[in-house]
Amino acid sequence: PDTEIRLYEVPVAQQIKGLESDLYDAGFAQSSEVGEVLFAVPAWNDPMVVAVPSRHPLLIHKKLPLDEVLRYPLVLCSHDGCEGSSPQLARMLRATDLEPIVAEQVASHDLMVTLVAAGYGLGFTTEAHVSTSHHPEIVTRPLAGRTPVLTTYLIRRIGEPAEVLQRFVERALFD
């Protein structure tokens, strides 16, 4: 209750620089690649889902087989626009034997949702991400089988944190 928390949304590279220079005390990112003076610990996982236009033939499935999803064009966030989730998704796609058809690479999650709604292709996201869009022309479906997850990491400097930061980390990771 006696701790002031300020939230900033910044690109991962800027967040890492700010953490290294003590501008920020801690951060959250979907990347664990943080250099040598910081460390990243998994904070939470969100199951990945497929964003599908509301009138798509794949909607006959309650859970979408990945091989069926990959038969359709995809709208993917670029590495620059989705710094953390893009590499995690790329690893998942490389693990398949199929080559995805990439219709569009976009700079933001919001643009991906808009293009999926317009029928340009399917997208990968999480329920948490797509729920902020509230787009009526989007339906999400989980993937069949082992559901891939998108991991969000808590990042901070290596070393003993101040007591206030330690309490924040404990609450963020264990509540």
Side-chain angles (χ1 to χ4, degrees):
D2 297 328
T3 303
E4 182 180 348
I5 296 176
R6 289 187 220 143
L7 301 175
Y8 304 95
E9 186 174 6
V10 297
V12 174
Q14 183 179 340
Q15 183 179 121
I16 289 171
K17 286 179 184 172
L19 287 164
E20 289 173 341
S21 66
D22 279 336
L23 178 63
Y24 309 128
D25 295 315
F28 291 101
Q30 292 172 330
S31 176
S32 61
E33 298 172 16
V34 295
E36 296 180 13
V37 299
L38 305 175
F39 76 96
V41 60
W44 66 82
N45 294 310
D46 289 307
M48 206 171 285
V49 296
V50 182
V52 183
S54 62
R55 292 183 184 89
H56 197 279
L58 277 179
L59 292 177
I60 63 168
H61 301 283
K62 293 289 183 201
K63 293 187 173 191
L64 302 179
L66 183 58
D67 61 334
E68 288 294 316
V69 171
L70 295 180
R71 294 175 197 261
Y72 292 91
L74 301 176
V75 178
L76 301 176
C77 283
S78 68
H79 180 72
D80 292 338
C82 303
E83 295 170 278
S85 60
S86 179
Q88 290 187 57
L89 177 59
R91 280 192 295 277
M92 180 194 77
L93 294 176
R94 278 194 306 270
T96 70
D97 293 332
L98 300 171
E99 185 67 31
I101 306 163
V102 179
E104 295 286 337
Q105 286 225 334
V106 297
S108 72
H109 183 267
D110 289 338
L111 183 54
M112 184 271 293
V113 167
T114 299
L115 292 180
V116 168
Y120 281 83
L122 308 176
F124 290 96
T125 187
T126 65
E127 287 291 345
H129 276 126
V130 83
S131 69
T132 62
S133 304
H134 303 293
H135 204 295
E137 298 297 317
I138 293 286
V139 176
T140 59
R141 288 284 193 268
L143 287 163
R146 188 171 158 254
T147 302
V149 295
L150 189 59
T151 302
T152 299
Y153 299 88
L154 183 134
I155 303 168
R156 69 171 184 84
R157 290 182 65 82
I158 294 172
E160 194 63 35
E163 181 183 343
V164 171
L165 179 57
Q166 183 60 37
R167 284 196 324 260
F168 173 81
V169 169
E170 288 171 1
R171 296 287 301 266
L173 297 180
F174 303 113
D175 271 0

